[in-house]
Amino acid sequence: MDRAVSTTMTSAPRPIWLDRNAVIHLTVLSLSVCAAVAMGVWYLALLLPLIFFLTTEVLYFGFAIPIYTHSNRVRRAYEWFDLYLDEAYGKGRDLTEAYFDGDRNKPYAQALTDKFDRFIELLKLQPGDRLLDIGCGYGDFIAHARMRGILAEGITLSEHQAALCRERGLPVRIANVLQIPEDLYGRFDAVTFLGCIEHFGTYVTARDRSIHKRLLQDVFETAYRMLRPDSRVRRVLTSTIHQTKLKPKGVDWIHGYLIERHYSGLYPMGDDGLCANAEGRFDIDFRYDASDDYRLASEVDPLHFGNFRIRWTLKRILYVPLLFLLDPFATHKWLYHVLRSWMWQFGGVGGLPREKRPVTLWWFVYQARPAEQHKVEHASEQVEVDLELAGAN
């Protein structure tokens, strides 16, 4: 049991200024300035980067050829919040929803605690059980679980998130969900994916949903392998935004585009777009529509990342031109913020009826099937595939 978890941080997040995307962007800007100077045509310094960017967008959305790295885009999105959101990661704040359960008057801090307690309850965890939080962010859920006596640890793609978690005394390592270190296999009673599965796909996989389906199946297979075969729990919990099957129209395309370019990722399609990929490994034990909980968190908490106002300082003003130099999607981030694209997807402030929202946030709890049953069904599936291939030949 670990009750010595720090709830504060002694240093601010440290952004990674240079990465592959930044180098490409800086190179294009530099060459454009050189061309403008050499030819004596000043507007080339603006026109050439615009032409290059539009070309990359055509390649990405038209031909599924990405020029900019997906993982760097995801990391940069959360670093943007590090820079502009007050007290985001020093006082137990979380990067996802809270749990109001219909009580709009509930204080945000209480709703956040209630969410973590609800997750522990749904997972049937007890002191001494082991929990792996995949995509753990800044470790708020891990810290809460460890205060409850649960041996929780996490993984993240972000180096600076991992560093800050360790600063809080939390066991977090850097890893990709599809390349989990083998020493983690078979160690945990439960696994959670809280607000991270949305980043496991890209528009490239959206063009062929079968690619996204295989990716999500691999995610559940990985989660299955993380669980202890002899555990009494063997549960997985996901909190994931799903795209509804409403046809986008008008301004919907603008908001959807800004959200994708800011965060990078892909929502599962339809209410069962995620959990259908768990078939054969897990049975669905619980589901809950937490869309209003996410929307309320953004409404009642003035510091929630989904709907905050920037308190300008000299440092934050200086970050603006710096990010335009280093981030090819800096413009998209500012438009996303000004137009409140995050709130749009939940129906805006005040919300819309569920059937009119472009997204739904689903909580799912999955009960892992016994290892023997999974092996038998997996073998049967392989036989069917072999027979289909034999028939095709």
Side-chain angles (χ1 to χ4, degrees), residues 4 51 101 116 118 161 166 191 198 258 292-293 361-362:
I51 293 174
D101 196 23
F116 293 151
R118 181 62 171 150
Q161 285 182 354
R166 294 176 191 134
V191 176
E198 294 93 329
L258 293 177
D292 280 332
D293 295 280
L361 174 67
W362 283 109

Side-chain angles (χ1 to χ4, degrees), residues 1 12 16 18 47 54 60-61 79 129 138 167 223 228-229 233 289 295 368 370 389 391:
M1 183 180 300
I16 299 173
L18 285 179
L47 181 61
L54 292 177
Y60 184 67
F61 289 103
E79 287 180 349
D129 288 337
Y138 292 90
E167 190 174 308
R228 286 174 45 206
V233 179
D289 182 348
R295 179 179 60 80
L389 291 175

Side-chain angles (χ1 to χ4, degrees), residues 55-96:
T55 301
T56 65
E57 295 293 82
V58 170
L59 290 173
Y60 184 67
F61 289 103
F63 300 94
I65 301 174
I67 301 301
Y68 295 107
T69 302
H70 166 68
S71 59
N72 289 343
R73 290 208 292 132
V74 174
R75 193 201 67 249
R76 189 74 78 186
Y78 288 102
E79 287 180 349
W80 190 86
F81 293 119
D82 295 345
L83 299 175
Y84 288 103
L85 180 57
D86 287 346
E87 301 176 350
Y89 311 113
K91 297 187 176 180
R93 291 201 172 272
D94 182 64
L95 290 171
T96 55

Side-chain angles (χ1 to χ4, degrees), residues 106-120:
K106 183 187 294 187
Y108 173 80
Q110 183 61 53
L112 185 58
T113 298
D114 289 349
K115 180 187 76 167
F116 293 151
D117 286 337
R118 181 62 171 150
F119 285 167
I120 291 172

